[in-house]
């Protein structure tokens, strides 16, 4: 599916545009980088990589530029695990050569996020050489960063050209290939919650964008069998889907098409790890486990008959000060931004919950229909997970029993987005459902 960027979308009336001008994907396409730089008038690029991505593609990039006598400067971030935080961003800025007139990001997640902020601040064009189909941020116009201990999305500059050389992508670590598919499987939940959020809060929604994401997800699932064998078609399906996920976010102007409660479970786990001075597992693998958790909870929701009296009493008895202290105890300084968000948003105020509850009750059957349409059954999802050897249990991505329950309970606080945990809170069922997660994961 493609969009006419010169005319409004017939479904939502919005102009769907992205700053990504070209996506080049296929065998050996890295060789086109010098030509691409020349076409954009870049005479001296700045190369950004880490030690792993430099070995995967950085050496090849340097050789290609050398063959064409193209001067360049570069920064290779040290360490096996680079966090997208103030320290890494500061290091990139301190190494940046202001005489460069373009930026080449050699990597995927963290390198991509850092390079997009660098491009935004320097006003220079950005070119991405993907080294693994591991996350959906290639084409997005935001960077997922850690700021003051909190995972935040910062407006940045997406690449004008994305290069995905299949010969490089298929040789990425298998864990990263699974992570990319895990990030795509999360779209089952994100599209469902986007529709539910639109129904309950009236937020923006576009069926054209949702269908774009559904089609990309279906292609990934249809080719999942070949991922373990590193088959080109399967790897390309995941890479294409991840790029389309980023484009969908750009078209919508929000992250709704690509992330929901499953991403927030991952974000809370990442914040918890940071507060404890620990490393977190790959985001896409955590999202896969979060997707499985969410799918099981949504399956439980299908059997619920809302109790208006119980829901209203729950909101009246709720004390946010207690939750704020729980957030601080679990996430340390990272909780403060979440607490400040509630002060602005007021989502826990009884009068706000009452208005939402009226809509929920009047549209309950429609909400259940959306869940049935968008999310596969837990049994179907488990079959797919087993087929591709995707981690199914939170313990396999570094989460203990306390992390599982609390992460879900705090997903409603991390962004101003209506997700499953907020729906359950409005129904007075959040704690009750959270208690079932451990049982469901066994």
């Amino acid at each position: 599916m493609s969009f006419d960027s010169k005319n409004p979308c017939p479904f939502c009336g919005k102009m769907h545009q992205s700053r990504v001008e070209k996506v080049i994907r296929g065998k050996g396409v890295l060789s086109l980088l010098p030509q691409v730089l020349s076409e954009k008038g870049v005479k001296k690029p700045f190369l950004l990589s880490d030690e792993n991505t430099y070995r995967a593609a950085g050496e090849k990039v340097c050789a290609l530029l050398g063959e064409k006598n193209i001067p360049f400067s570069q920064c290779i971030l040290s360490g096996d695990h680079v966090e997208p935080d103030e320290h890494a961003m500061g290091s990139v800025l301190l190494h940046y050569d202001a005489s460069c007139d373009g930026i080449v990001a050699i990597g995927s997640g963290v390198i991509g996020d850092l390079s997009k902020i660098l491009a935004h601040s320097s006003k220079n064009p950005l070119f991405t050489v993907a080294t693994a189909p591991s996350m959906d941020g290639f084409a997005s116009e935001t960077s997922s960063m850690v700021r003051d201990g909190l995972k935040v999305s910062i407006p940045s500059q997406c690449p004008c050209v994305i290069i995905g050389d299949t010969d490089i992508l298929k040789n990425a670590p298998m864990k990263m290939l699974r992570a990319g598919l895990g990030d795509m499987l999360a779209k089952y939940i994100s599209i469902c919650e986007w529709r539910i959020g639109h129904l309950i809060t009236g937020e923006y929604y576009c069926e054209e964008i949702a269908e774009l994401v559904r089609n990309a997800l279906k292609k990934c699932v249809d080719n999942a069998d070949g991922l373990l064998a590193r088959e080109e078609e399967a790897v390309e399906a995941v890479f294409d889907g991840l790029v389309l996920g980023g484009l969908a976010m750009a078209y919508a102007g929000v992250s709704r098409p690509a992330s929901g409660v499953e991403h927030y479970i991952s974000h809370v786990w990442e914040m918890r790890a940071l507060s404890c001075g620990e490393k977190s597992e790959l985001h896409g693998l955590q999202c896969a486990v979060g997707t499985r958790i969410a799918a099981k909870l949504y399956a439980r929701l299908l059997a619920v008959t809302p109790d208006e009296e119980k829901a209203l009493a729950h909101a009246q008895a709720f004390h946010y000060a207690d939750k704020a202290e729980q957030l601080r105890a679990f996430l340390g300084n990272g909780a403060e931004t979440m607490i400040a968000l509630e002060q602005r948003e007021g989502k826990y105020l009884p009068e706000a919950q009452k208005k939402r509850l009226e809509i929920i009750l009047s549209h309950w059957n429609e909400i259940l229909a959306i869940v049935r349409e968008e999310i596969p059954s837990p049994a179907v999802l488990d079959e797919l997970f087993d087929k591709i050897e995707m981690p199914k249990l939170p313990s396999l991505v570094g989460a203990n029993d306390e992390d599982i329950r609390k992460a879900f309970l705090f997903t409603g606080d991390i962004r101003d987005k209506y997700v499953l945990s907020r729906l359950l809170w409005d129904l007075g069922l959040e704690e009750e459902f959270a208690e079932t997660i451990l049982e469901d994961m066994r």
Side-chain angles (χ1 to χ4, degrees), residues 24-33 52-61 64 105-108 128-133 138 163-174 176-177 230 232 235-236 239:
I24 306 172
R25 191 266 294 149
K27 291 177 63 65
V29 296
L30 180 61
S31 63
L32 298 176
L33 177 61
N52 294 320
T53 64
Y54 180 76
R55 287 191 294 269
E59 292 176 338
K60 297 182 180 71
V61 169
L64 282 169
I106 305 167
S108 295
T128 293
V129 173
T131 55
F138 292 113
I163 297 177
D165 191 320
T166 310
D167 290 332
I168 295 171
L169 297 174
K170 71 179 183 181
N171 289 314
M174 182 54 65
M176 299 189 81
L177 297 181
R230 301 181 184 274
E232 291 178 4
V235 173
E236 290 174 353
F239 177 73

Side-chain angles (χ1 to χ4, degrees), residues 46 91-103 118 122 124:
F46 178 79
S91 180
V92 171
L93 291 171
L94 287 174
H95 286 91
Y96 179 64
D97 181 350
S99 69
C100 293
D101 55 357
I103 299 164
L118 178 62
S122 67
N124 281 326

